[in-house]
Short mmCIF file of all heavy atoms in Angstrom, two decimals:
data_model
loop_
_atom_site.label_atom_id
_atom_site.label_comp_id
_atom_site.label_asym_id
_atom_site.label_seq_id
_atom_site.Cartn_x
_atom_site.Cartn_y
_atom_site.Cartn_z
N GLY Q 1 -5.10 -5.66 -4.23
CA GLY Q 1 -5.09 -6.38 -2.98
C GLY Q 1 -5.68 -5.62 -1.86
O GLY Q 1 -5.98 -4.38 -2.04
N PHE Q 2 -6.09 -6.26 -0.87
CA PHE Q 2 -6.79 -5.65 0.29
C PHE Q 2 -6.30 -6.33 1.55
O PHE Q 2 -6.12 -7.51 1.63
CB PHE Q 2 -8.35 -5.80 0.23
CG PHE Q 2 -9.12 -5.37 1.38
CD1 PHE Q 2 -9.39 -4.07 1.49
CD2 PHE Q 2 -9.60 -6.21 2.36
CE1 PHE Q 2 -10.09 -3.53 2.63
CE2 PHE Q 2 -10.32 -5.82 3.41
CZ PHE Q 2 -10.51 -4.49 3.55
N SER Q 3 -6.12 -5.44 2.53
CA SER Q 3 -5.86 -6.06 3.93
C SER Q 3 -6.55 -5.20 4.96
O SER Q 3 -6.86 -4.07 4.75
CB SER Q 3 -4.35 -6.01 4.20
OG SER Q 3 -3.85 -4.73 4.29
N ARG Q 4 -6.91 -5.86 6.06
CA ARG Q 4 -7.53 -5.19 7.24
C ARG Q 4 -6.95 -5.82 8.40
O ARG Q 4 -6.93 -7.04 8.68
CB ARG Q 4 -9.04 -5.41 7.18
CG ARG Q 4 -9.71 -4.64 8.30
CD ARG Q 4 -11.22 -4.88 8.22
NE ARG Q 4 -11.86 -4.35 9.45
CZ ARG Q 4 -12.49 -3.22 9.47
NH1 ARG Q 4 -12.59 -2.40 8.36
NH2 ARG Q 4 -13.09 -2.83 10.50
N GLY Q 5 -6.50 -4.91 9.41
CA GLY Q 5 -6.06 -5.36 10.58
C GLY Q 5 -6.92 -4.86 11.75
O GLY Q 5 -7.26 -3.68 11.89
N GLU Q 6 -7.53 -5.77 12.66
CA GLU Q 6 -8.24 -5.34 13.80
C GLU Q 6 -7.30 -5.00 14.89
O GLU Q 6 -6.47 -5.77 15.22
CB GLU Q 6 -9.20 -6.41 14.22
CG GLU Q 6 -10.32 -6.71 13.15
CD GLU Q 6 -11.27 -5.54 12.90
OE1 GLU Q 6 -11.63 -4.80 13.87
OE2 GLU Q 6 -11.66 -5.39 11.78
N LEU Q 7 -7.50 -3.87 15.50
CA LEU Q 7 -6.51 -3.38 16.58
C LEU Q 7 -7.14 -3.59 17.88
O LEU Q 7 -8.34 -3.48 18.13
CB LEU Q 7 -6.20 -1.89 16.34
CG LEU Q 7 -5.68 -1.64 14.92
CD1 LEU Q 7 -5.42 -0.06 14.75
CD2 LEU Q 7 -4.30 -2.23 14.73
N SER Q 8 -6.27 -3.90 18.89
CA SER Q 8 -6.76 -4.19 20.22
C SER Q 8 -7.30 -2.96 20.90
O SER Q 8 -6.77 -1.83 20.82
CB SER Q 8 -5.61 -4.60 21.11
OG SER Q 8 -5.88 -4.76 22.47
N ASP Q 9 -8.46 -3.09 21.54
CA ASP Q 9 -9.04 -1.90 22.25
C ASP Q 9 -8.40 -1.67 23.77
O ASP Q 9 -8.74 -0.82 24.34
CB ASP Q 9 -10.57 -1.99 22.43
CG ASP Q 9 -11.02 -3.24 23.05
OD1 ASP Q 9 -10.13 -4.10 23.48
OD2 ASP Q 9 -12.20 -3.49 23.25
N ARG Q 10 -7.54 -2.67 24.02
CA ARG Q 10 -6.83 -2.62 25.36
C ARG Q 10 -5.64 -1.73 25.28
O ARG Q 10 -4.95 -1.48 26.26
CB ARG Q 10 -6.51 -3.96 25.80
CG ARG Q 10 -7.78 -4.73 26.30
CD ARG Q 10 -7.39 -5.98 26.75
NE ARG Q 10 -7.40 -7.04 25.69
CZ ARG Q 10 -7.01 -8.29 25.69
NH1 ARG Q 10 -6.65 -8.73 26.90
NH2 ARG Q 10 -7.00 -8.99 24.66
N SER Q 11 -5.13 -1.35 24.05
CA SER Q 11 -3.85 -0.63 23.93
C SER Q 11 -4.25 0.87 23.77
O SER Q 11 -5.00 1.27 22.97
CB SER Q 11 -3.05 -1.02 22.64
OG SER Q 11 -1.98 -0.21 22.55
N PRO Q 12 -3.54 1.71 24.66
CA PRO Q 12 -3.74 3.16 24.53
C PRO Q 12 -3.10 3.74 23.24
O PRO Q 12 -3.33 4.95 23.05
CB PRO Q 12 -3.15 3.73 25.82
CG PRO Q 12 -2.16 2.77 26.20
CD PRO Q 12 -2.62 1.41 25.64
N ASP Q 13 -2.35 2.96 22.62
CA ASP Q 13 -1.64 3.47 21.39
C ASP Q 13 -2.52 3.60 20.19
O ASP Q 13 -2.12 4.31 19.27
CB ASP Q 13 -0.40 2.59 21.04
CG ASP Q 13 0.57 2.50 22.21
OD1 ASP Q 13 0.78 3.48 22.83
OD2 ASP Q 13 1.27 1.38 22.31
N PHE Q 14 -3.64 2.97 20.17
CA PHE Q 14 -4.56 3.01 19.06
C PHE Q 14 -5.76 3.80 19.37
O PHE Q 14 -6.50 3.52 20.30
CB PHE Q 14 -4.87 1.52 18.62
CG PHE Q 14 -3.74 0.63 18.27
CD1 PHE Q 14 -3.58 -0.54 18.89
CD2 PHE Q 14 -2.76 1.13 17.33
CE1 PHE Q 14 -2.48 -1.34 18.66
CE2 PHE Q 14 -1.71 0.34 17.07
CZ PHE Q 14 -1.58 -0.95 17.72
N SER Q 15 -6.15 4.78 18.52
CA SER Q 15 -7.38 5.43 18.59
C SER Q 15 -8.47 4.94 17.65
O SER Q 15 -9.65 5.29 17.76
CB SER Q 15 -7.15 6.91 18.42
OG SER Q 15 -6.73 7.26 17.14
N ALA Q 16 -8.08 4.06 16.75
CA ALA Q 16 -9.01 3.46 15.82
C ALA Q 16 -9.10 1.98 16.10
O ALA Q 16 -8.25 1.40 16.76
CB ALA Q 16 -8.45 3.62 14.21
N SER Q 17 -10.20 1.42 15.55
CA SER Q 17 -10.46 0.00 15.83
C SER Q 17 -9.78 -0.93 14.73
O SER Q 17 -9.77 -2.11 14.91
CB SER Q 17 -11.94 -0.35 15.84
OG SER Q 17 -12.51 -0.03 14.62
N HIS Q 18 -9.36 -0.26 13.67
CA HIS Q 18 -8.80 -0.99 12.55
C HIS Q 18 -7.92 -0.16 11.65
O HIS Q 18 -7.89 1.08 11.82
CB HIS Q 18 -9.89 -1.58 11.63
CG HIS Q 18 -10.67 -0.54 11.01
ND1 HIS Q 18 -11.64 0.17 11.50
CD2 HIS Q 18 -10.54 -0.07 9.72
CE1 HIS Q 18 -12.05 1.08 10.70
NE2 HIS Q 18 -11.44 0.98 9.58
N GLU Q 19 -7.11 -0.86 10.90
CA GLU Q 19 -6.26 -0.20 9.83
C GLU Q 19 -6.55 -1.04 8.54
O GLU Q 19 -6.47 -2.22 8.64
CB GLU Q 19 -4.86 -0.07 10.15
CG GLU Q 19 -3.97 0.51 8.94
CD GLU Q 19 -2.47 0.50 9.34
OE1 GLU Q 19 -2.12 1.36 10.04
OE2 GLU Q 19 -1.86 -0.51 8.92
N GLN Q 20 -6.81 -0.39 7.43
CA GLN Q 20 -7.00 -1.16 6.27
C GLN Q 20 -6.35 -0.58 5.06
O GLN Q 20 -6.12 0.58 5.03
CB GLN Q 20 -8.49 -1.42 5.91
CG GLN Q 20 -9.34 -0.27 5.74
CD GLN Q 20 -10.86 -0.55 5.68
OE1 GLN Q 20 -11.24 -1.70 6.02
NE2 GLN Q 20 -11.60 0.43 5.31
N THR Q 21 -5.98 -1.39 4.12
CA THR Q 21 -5.20 -0.95 2.96
C THR Q 21 -5.84 -1.58 1.73
O THR Q 21 -6.15 -2.74 1.70
CB THR Q 21 -3.71 -1.42 3.14
OG1 THR Q 21 -3.27 -0.85 4.32
CG2 THR Q 21 -2.91 -0.90 1.91
N VAL Q 22 -5.84 -0.80 0.68
CA VAL Q 22 -6.25 -1.21 -0.72
C VAL Q 22 -5.04 -0.94 -1.60
O VAL Q 22 -4.47 0.23 -1.53
CB VAL Q 22 -7.48 -0.54 -1.25
CG1 VAL Q 22 -7.80 -0.93 -2.61
CG2 VAL Q 22 -8.67 -0.84 -0.33
N GLU Q 23 -4.59 -1.94 -2.47
CA GLU Q 23 -3.45 -1.75 -3.29
C GLU Q 23 -3.69 -2.09 -4.65
O GLU Q 23 -4.36 -3.11 -4.88
CB GLU Q 23 -2.26 -2.46 -2.74
CG GLU Q 23 -1.04 -2.47 -3.45
CD GLU Q 23 0.13 -3.23 -2.91
OE1 GLU Q 23 -0.11 -4.11 -1.99
OE2 GLU Q 23 1.30 -3.08 -3.35
N CYS Q 24 -3.19 -1.34 -5.64
CA CYS Q 24 -3.23 -1.72 -7.02
C CYS Q 24 -1.86 -1.63 -7.60
O CYS Q 24 -1.10 -0.63 -7.20
CB CYS Q 24 -4.18 -0.78 -7.75
SG CYS Q 24 -5.88 -0.75 -7.21
N PHE Q 25 -1.52 -2.53 -8.54
CA PHE Q 25 -0.24 -2.33 -9.23
C PHE Q 25 -0.43 -2.76 -10.67
O PHE Q 25 -1.29 -3.54 -10.99
CB PHE Q 25 0.92 -3.10 -8.50
CG PHE Q 25 0.86 -4.58 -8.69
CD1 PHE Q 25 1.57 -5.12 -9.75
CD2 PHE Q 25 0.13 -5.44 -7.92
CE1 PHE Q 25 1.67 -6.54 -10.09
CE2 PHE Q 25 0.08 -6.75 -8.09
CZ PHE Q 25 0.86 -7.35 -9.22
N TYR Q 26 0.56 -2.28 -11.56
CA TYR Q 26 0.51 -2.63 -12.86
C TYR Q 26 1.95 -2.84 -13.37
O TYR Q 26 2.76 -1.96 -13.07
CB TYR Q 26 -0.15 -1.57 -13.73
CG TYR Q 26 -0.30 -1.90 -15.14
CD1 TYR Q 26 -1.36 -2.81 -15.46
CD2 TYR Q 26 0.45 -1.44 -16.13
CE1 TYR Q 26 -1.62 -3.22 -16.78
CE2 TYR Q 26 0.19 -1.89 -17.52
CZ TYR Q 26 -0.80 -2.71 -17.75
OH TYR Q 26 -0.96 -3.14 -19.06
N ASN Q 27 2.27 -3.89 -14.06
CA ASN Q 27 3.57 -4.22 -14.46
C ASN Q 27 3.60 -4.12 -16.00
O ASN Q 27 2.76 -4.85 -16.65
CB ASN Q 27 3.97 -5.61 -13.99
CG ASN Q 27 5.39 -5.95 -14.35
OD1 ASN Q 27 6.09 -5.17 -14.97
ND2 ASN Q 27 5.79 -7.21 -14.00
N THR Q 28 4.49 -3.26 -16.55
CA THR Q 28 4.53 -3.16 -17.98
C THR Q 28 5.86 -3.65 -18.48
O THR Q 28 6.99 -3.27 -17.92
CB THR Q 28 4.45 -1.70 -18.36
OG1 THR Q 28 3.27 -1.16 -17.84
CG2 THR Q 28 4.41 -1.52 -19.87
N ALA Q 29 5.94 -4.47 -19.49
CA ALA Q 29 7.18 -4.91 -20.08
C ALA Q 29 7.41 -3.91 -21.13
O ALA Q 29 6.85 -3.85 -22.28
CB ALA Q 29 7.02 -6.31 -20.71
N LEU Q 30 8.51 -3.02 -20.85
CA LEU Q 30 9.01 -2.08 -21.81
C LEU Q 30 9.79 -2.75 -22.97
O LEU Q 30 9.74 -2.28 -24.16
CB LEU Q 30 9.73 -0.90 -21.13
CG LEU Q 30 9.04 -0.27 -20.03
CD1 LEU Q 30 9.98 0.69 -19.31
CD2 LEU Q 30 7.75 0.42 -20.59
N THR Q 31 10.65 -3.70 -22.60
CA THR Q 31 11.39 -4.59 -23.48
C THR Q 31 11.34 -6.00 -22.85
O THR Q 31 10.93 -6.13 -21.68
CB THR Q 31 12.84 -4.04 -23.76
OG1 THR Q 31 13.56 -4.28 -22.52
CG2 THR Q 31 12.91 -2.63 -24.09
N PRO Q 32 11.79 -6.91 -23.49
CA PRO Q 32 11.87 -8.30 -22.86
C PRO Q 32 12.76 -8.29 -21.66
O PRO Q 32 12.70 -9.25 -20.78
CB PRO Q 32 12.44 -9.22 -23.98
CG PRO Q 32 12.08 -8.56 -25.23
CD PRO Q 32 12.17 -7.12 -24.89
N TRP Q 33 13.70 -7.41 -21.47
CA TRP Q 33 14.64 -7.34 -20.26
C TRP Q 33 14.40 -6.15 -19.41
O TRP Q 33 15.02 -6.00 -18.35
CB TRP Q 33 16.03 -7.43 -20.79
CG TRP Q 33 16.41 -6.39 -21.83
CD1 TRP Q 33 16.25 -6.53 -23.23
CD2 TRP Q 33 16.75 -5.03 -21.64
NE1 TRP Q 33 16.57 -5.36 -23.84
CE2 TRP Q 33 16.88 -4.38 -22.93
CE3 TRP Q 33 17.03 -4.24 -20.56
CZ2 TRP Q 33 17.18 -3.05 -23.11
CZ3 TRP Q 33 17.30 -2.84 -20.68
CH2 TRP Q 33 17.49 -2.35 -21.94
N LEU Q 34 13.39 -5.33 -19.65
CA LEU Q 34 13.18 -4.14 -18.85
C LEU Q 34 11.62 -4.06 -18.48
O LEU Q 34 10.84 -3.98 -19.39
CB LEU Q 34 13.65 -2.94 -19.58
CG LEU Q 34 13.39 -1.60 -18.88
CD1 LEU Q 34 14.28 -1.47 -17.56
CD2 LEU Q 34 13.81 -0.45 -19.73
N HIS Q 35 11.36 -4.03 -17.20
CA HIS Q 35 9.94 -4.00 -16.74
C HIS Q 35 9.79 -2.80 -15.78
O HIS Q 35 10.66 -2.46 -14.98
CB HIS Q 35 9.60 -5.22 -16.01
CG HIS Q 35 9.45 -6.44 -16.86
ND1 HIS Q 35 8.26 -7.17 -16.99
CD2 HIS Q 35 10.39 -7.06 -17.66
CE1 HIS Q 35 8.45 -8.12 -17.89
NE2 HIS Q 35 9.73 -8.09 -18.28
N LEU Q 36 8.62 -2.08 -15.87
CA LEU Q 36 8.25 -0.99 -15.09
C LEU Q 36 7.04 -1.40 -14.30
O LEU Q 36 6.04 -1.77 -14.98
CB LEU Q 36 8.04 0.29 -15.91
CG LEU Q 36 7.59 1.53 -15.20
CD1 LEU Q 36 8.67 2.06 -14.27
CD2 LEU Q 36 7.07 2.61 -16.23
N THR Q 37 7.09 -1.26 -13.00
CA THR Q 37 5.93 -1.58 -12.16
C THR Q 37 5.53 -0.23 -11.37
O THR Q 37 6.41 0.30 -10.74
CB THR Q 37 6.23 -2.71 -11.13
OG1 THR Q 37 6.67 -3.87 -11.86
CG2 THR Q 37 4.94 -3.03 -10.34
N THR Q 38 4.17 0.14 -11.50
CA THR Q 38 3.77 1.20 -10.60
C THR Q 38 2.84 0.64 -9.62
O THR Q 38 2.21 -0.41 -9.86
CB THR Q 38 3.01 2.20 -11.50
OG1 THR Q 38 2.00 1.54 -12.20
CG2 THR Q 38 4.01 2.95 -12.51
N ASP Q 39 2.69 1.26 -8.46
CA ASP Q 39 2.01 0.72 -7.35
C ASP Q 39 1.26 1.97 -6.63
O ASP Q 39 1.95 2.95 -6.42
CB ASP Q 39 2.94 0.01 -6.37
CG ASP Q 39 2.19 -0.51 -5.15
OD1 ASP Q 39 1.44 -1.43 -5.32
OD2 ASP Q 39 2.52 0.08 -4.04
N LEU Q 40 -0.01 1.80 -6.36
CA LEU Q 40 -0.71 2.83 -5.58
C LEU Q 40 -1.40 2.22 -4.39
O LEU Q 40 -2.18 1.18 -4.54
CB LEU Q 40 -1.76 3.47 -6.47
CG LEU Q 40 -2.66 4.61 -5.81
CD1 LEU Q 40 -1.75 5.75 -5.39
CD2 LEU Q 40 -3.75 4.97 -6.81
N GLN Q 41 -1.19 2.76 -3.18
CA GLN Q 41 -1.82 2.20 -1.99
C GLN Q 41 -2.63 3.30 -1.33
O GLN Q 41 -2.26 4.45 -1.22
CB GLN Q 41 -0.81 1.72 -1.06
CG GLN Q 41 0.03 0.62 -1.48
CD GLN Q 41 1.05 0.23 -0.45
OE1 GLN Q 41 0.99 0.47 0.79
NE2 GLN Q 41 2.19 -0.40 -0.90
N TRP Q 42 -3.87 2.88 -0.76
CA TRP Q 42 -4.58 3.76 0.08
C TRP Q 42 -4.68 3.18 1.42
O TRP Q 42 -5.01 1.89 1.56
CB TRP Q 42 -6.08 3.93 -0.55
CG TRP Q 42 -6.96 4.45 0.44
CD1 TRP Q 42 -7.04 5.92 0.89
CD2 TRP Q 42 -8.04 3.98 1.13
NE1 TRP Q 42 -8.04 6.05 1.72
CE2 TRP Q 42 -8.72 4.85 2.03
CE3 TRP Q 42 -8.48 2.62 1.15
CZ2 TRP Q 42 -9.77 4.58 2.79
CZ3 TRP Q 42 -9.50 2.29 2.01
CH2 TRP Q 42 -10.19 3.29 2.74
N ILE Q 43 -4.36 3.90 2.52
CA ILE Q 43 -4.33 3.39 3.87
C ILE Q 43 -5.38 4.09 4.73
O ILE Q 43 -5.17 5.38 4.92
CB ILE Q 43 -2.99 3.46 4.49
CG1 ILE Q 43 -2.00 2.72 3.60
CG2 ILE Q 43 -2.95 2.81 5.85
CD1 ILE Q 43 -0.49 2.88 3.92
N ASP Q 44 -6.34 3.48 5.27
CA ASP Q 44 -7.30 4.04 6.20
C ASP Q 44 -6.85 3.77 7.57
O ASP Q 44 -6.45 2.80 7.97
CB ASP Q 44 -8.67 3.38 5.99
CG ASP Q 44 -9.75 3.85 6.83
OD1 ASP Q 44 -9.80 5.05 7.14
OD2 ASP Q 44 -10.52 3.07 7.25
N ASN Q 45 -6.93 4.92 8.37
CA ASN Q 45 -6.43 4.92 9.73
C ASN Q 45 -5.00 4.42 9.82
O ASN Q 45 -4.66 3.49 10.58
CB ASN Q 45 -7.30 3.99 10.61
CG ASN Q 45 -8.69 4.47 10.74
OD1 ASN Q 45 -8.95 5.64 10.73
ND2 ASN Q 45 -9.56 3.51 10.85
N PRO Q 46 -4.06 5.18 9.12
CA PRO Q 46 -2.63 4.74 9.21
C PRO Q 46 -2.04 4.80 10.65
O PRO Q 46 -2.28 5.71 11.45
CB PRO Q 46 -1.92 5.83 8.32
CG PRO Q 46 -2.89 6.99 8.28
CD PRO Q 46 -4.29 6.46 8.47
N GLY Q 47 -1.38 3.76 10.98
CA GLY Q 47 -0.74 3.53 12.36
C GLY Q 47 -1.86 3.33 13.41
O GLY Q 47 -1.49 3.53 14.57
N GLY Q 48 -3.10 3.07 13.03
CA GLY Q 48 -4.19 2.93 13.99
C GLY Q 48 -4.63 4.27 14.59
O GLY Q 48 -5.29 4.15 15.73
N ASP Q 49 -4.38 5.31 13.98
CA ASP Q 49 -4.73 6.64 14.49
C ASP Q 49 -5.78 7.22 13.59
O ASP Q 49 -5.60 7.64 12.52
CB ASP Q 49 -3.45 7.58 14.47
CG ASP Q 49 -3.71 8.85 15.25
OD1 ASP Q 49 -4.87 9.23 15.52
OD2 ASP Q 49 -2.67 9.50 15.53
N ASP Q 50 -7.03 7.34 14.08
CA ASP Q 50 -8.17 7.84 13.32
C ASP Q 50 -8.17 9.33 13.28
O ASP Q 50 -9.03 10.00 12.55
CB ASP Q 50 -9.46 7.34 13.78
CG ASP Q 50 -9.84 7.65 15.24
OD1 ASP Q 50 -8.99 8.43 15.81
OD2 ASP Q 50 -10.88 7.19 15.68
N SER Q 51 -7.26 10.02 13.94
CA SER Q 51 -7.17 11.49 13.84
C SER Q 51 -6.33 11.96 12.66
O SER Q 51 -6.34 13.12 12.21
CB SER Q 51 -6.62 12.15 15.13
OG SER Q 51 -5.30 11.79 15.35
N LEU Q 52 -5.59 11.00 12.09
CA LEU Q 52 -4.80 11.31 10.92
C LEU Q 52 -5.57 11.23 9.57
O LEU Q 52 -6.48 10.37 9.57
CB LEU Q 52 -3.59 10.36 10.83
CG LEU Q 52 -2.65 10.46 11.91
CD1 LEU Q 52 -1.47 9.43 11.73
CD2 LEU Q 52 -1.90 11.79 12.05
N ASP Q 53 -5.19 12.00 8.55
CA ASP Q 53 -5.81 11.75 7.29
C ASP Q 53 -5.39 10.44 6.62
O ASP Q 53 -4.42 9.79 7.08
CB ASP Q 53 -5.28 12.92 6.26
CG ASP Q 53 -5.87 14.25 6.66
OD1 ASP Q 53 -6.88 14.38 7.38
OD2 ASP Q 53 -5.21 15.27 6.23
N ASP Q 54 -6.25 9.96 5.72
CA ASP Q 54 -5.89 8.70 5.06
C ASP Q 54 -4.53 8.92 4.34
O ASP Q 54 -4.29 9.99 3.94
CB ASP Q 54 -7.01 8.33 4.06
CG ASP Q 54 -8.29 7.95 4.68
OD1 ASP Q 54 -8.32 7.82 5.98
OD2 ASP Q 54 -9.21 7.81 3.95
N ALA Q 55 -3.71 7.93 4.17
CA ALA Q 55 -2.50 8.02 3.51
C ALA Q 55 -2.59 7.46 2.04
O ALA Q 55 -3.27 6.43 1.87
CB ALA Q 55 -1.39 7.24 4.24
N TRP Q 56 -1.90 8.04 1.24
CA TRP Q 56 -1.79 7.62 -0.23
C TRP Q 56 -0.25 7.41 -0.44
O TRP Q 56 0.56 8.23 -0.12
CB TRP Q 56 -2.27 8.63 -1.12
CG TRP Q 56 -3.76 8.72 -1.20
CD1 TRP Q 56 -4.55 9.59 -0.40
CD2 TRP Q 56 -4.64 7.98 -1.92
NE1 TRP Q 56 -5.87 9.30 -0.64
CE2 TRP Q 56 -6.00 8.34 -1.60
CE3 TRP Q 56 -4.47 6.88 -2.80
CZ2 TRP Q 56 -7.11 7.71 -2.11
CZ3 TRP Q 56 -5.65 6.32 -3.41
CH2 TRP Q 56 -6.98 6.77 -2.97
N VAL Q 57 0.09 6.19 -1.00
CA VAL Q 57 1.51 5.89 -1.31
C VAL Q 57 1.65 5.55 -2.69
O VAL Q 57 0.86 4.69 -3.21
CB VAL Q 57 2.00 4.67 -0.34
CG1 VAL Q 57 3.46 4.33 -0.63
CG2 VAL Q 57 1.76 5.00 1.09
N LEU Q 58 2.57 6.14 -3.38
CA LEU Q 58 2.75 5.73 -4.82
C LEU Q 58 4.31 5.26 -4.93
O LEU Q 58 5.28 5.79 -4.32
CB LEU Q 58 2.67 7.06 -5.66
CG LEU Q 58 3.08 6.92 -7.16
CD1 LEU Q 58 2.08 6.03 -7.79
CD2 LEU Q 58 3.08 8.24 -7.82
N GLY Q 59 4.29 4.10 -5.58
CA GLY Q 59 5.69 3.48 -5.73
C GLY Q 59 5.87 3.19 -7.26
O GLY Q 59 4.96 2.93 -7.97
N VAL Q 60 7.20 3.25 -7.49
CA VAL Q 60 7.66 2.95 -8.87
C VAL Q 60 8.82 2.00 -8.73
O VAL Q 60 9.76 2.24 -7.93
CB VAL Q 60 8.05 4.15 -9.65
CG1 VAL Q 60 8.52 3.81 -11.10
CG2 VAL Q 60 6.84 5.11 -9.75
N ARG Q 61 8.92 0.90 -9.61
CA ARG Q 61 10.03 0.02 -9.61
C ARG Q 61 10.43 -0.24 -11.06
O ARG Q 61 9.61 -0.52 -11.92
CB ARG Q 61 9.68 -1.29 -8.92
CG ARG Q 61 10.80 -2.31 -8.87
CD ARG Q 61 10.43 -3.51 -8.10
NE ARG Q 61 9.49 -4.32 -8.93
CZ ARG Q 61 8.97 -5.44 -8.51
NH1 ARG Q 61 9.28 -5.94 -7.14
NH2 ARG Q 61 8.19 -6.14 -9.25
N LEU Q 62 11.71 -0.26 -11.26
CA LEU Q 62 12.26 -0.63 -12.54
C LEU Q 62 13.12 -1.78 -12.38
O LEU Q 62 13.95 -1.93 -11.52
CB LEU Q 62 13.16 0.59 -13.01
CG LEU Q 62 13.54 0.56 -14.51
CD1 LEU Q 62 12.33 0.65 -15.42
CD2 LEU Q 62 14.52 1.75 -14.78
N GLN Q 63 12.86 -2.88 -13.22
CA GLN Q 63 13.44 -4.16 -13.07
C GLN Q 63 14.23 -4.47 -14.36
O GLN Q 63 13.66 -4.48 -15.43
CB GLN Q 63 12.47 -5.28 -12.82
CG GLN Q 63 13.04 -6.64 -12.75
CD GLN Q 63 11.98 -7.70 -12.48
OE1 GLN Q 63 10.87 -7.39 -12.13
NE2 GLN Q 63 12.43 -8.92 -12.64
N LEU Q 64 15.60 -4.74 -14.23
CA LEU Q 64 16.38 -5.10 -15.30
C LEU Q 64 16.77 -6.63 -15.20
O LEU Q 64 17.06 -7.16 -14.09
CB LEU Q 64 17.69 -4.33 -15.32
CG LEU Q 64 17.62 -2.82 -15.61
CD1 LEU Q 64 18.84 -2.20 -15.11
CD2 LEU Q 64 17.31 -2.61 -17.00
N THR Q 65 16.64 -7.32 -16.21
CA THR Q 65 17.05 -8.71 -16.28
C THR Q 65 18.34 -9.00 -17.17
O THR Q 65 18.26 -8.64 -18.35
CB THR Q 65 15.89 -9.63 -16.76
OG1 THR Q 65 14.72 -9.40 -16.06
CG2 THR Q 65 16.24 -11.15 -16.72
N PHE Q 66 19.33 -9.48 -16.54
CA PHE Q 66 20.57 -9.62 -17.26
C PHE Q 66 20.73 -11.09 -17.76
O PHE Q 66 20.32 -12.01 -17.17
CB PHE Q 66 21.84 -9.30 -16.42
CG PHE Q 66 21.89 -7.79 -16.05
CD1 PHE Q 66 21.37 -7.40 -14.82
CD2 PHE Q 66 22.29 -6.87 -16.96
CE1 PHE Q 66 21.48 -6.09 -14.47
CE2 PHE Q 66 22.30 -5.51 -16.61
CZ PHE Q 66 21.94 -5.13 -15.33
#
């Protein structure tokens, strides 16, 4: 997935003109009732602040079906 937000140049809270995110995920069926999903996100200008390093977010989800 991809998202991009254009930030207002009238707000003193933002030093960047945009924030954008790229996301990849993969869902694996370990059994018919147990799924594992991994997620990786890259965020450019996190929080609208271009003085910060890019952010990387790793997520893991385990889903049980009863």
Side-chain angles (χ1 to χ4, degrees):
F2 175 78
S3 68
R4 180 180 172 103
E6 295 293 326
L7 305 173
S8 172
D9 58 357
R10 291 182 270 174
S11 174
D13 297 329
F14 304 127
S15 60
S17 63
H18 67 278
E19 177 183 276
Q20 58 190 13
T21 303
V22 176
E23 177 180 14
C24 297
F25 77 93
Y26 189 75
N27 185 1
T28 304
L30 302 174
T31 68
W33 50 268
L34 181 63
H35 290 242
L36 176 69
T37 303
T38 55
D39 178 68
L40 179 63
Q41 297 177 23
W42 166 74
I43 305 170
D44 179 36
N45 298 328
D49 189 346
D50 61 3
S51 69
L52 297 175
D53 291 337
D54 293 351
W56 289 91
V57 179
L58 177 64
V60 177
R61 181 177 70 182
L62 194 61
Q63 179 181 346
L64 295 160
T65 304
F66 296 102

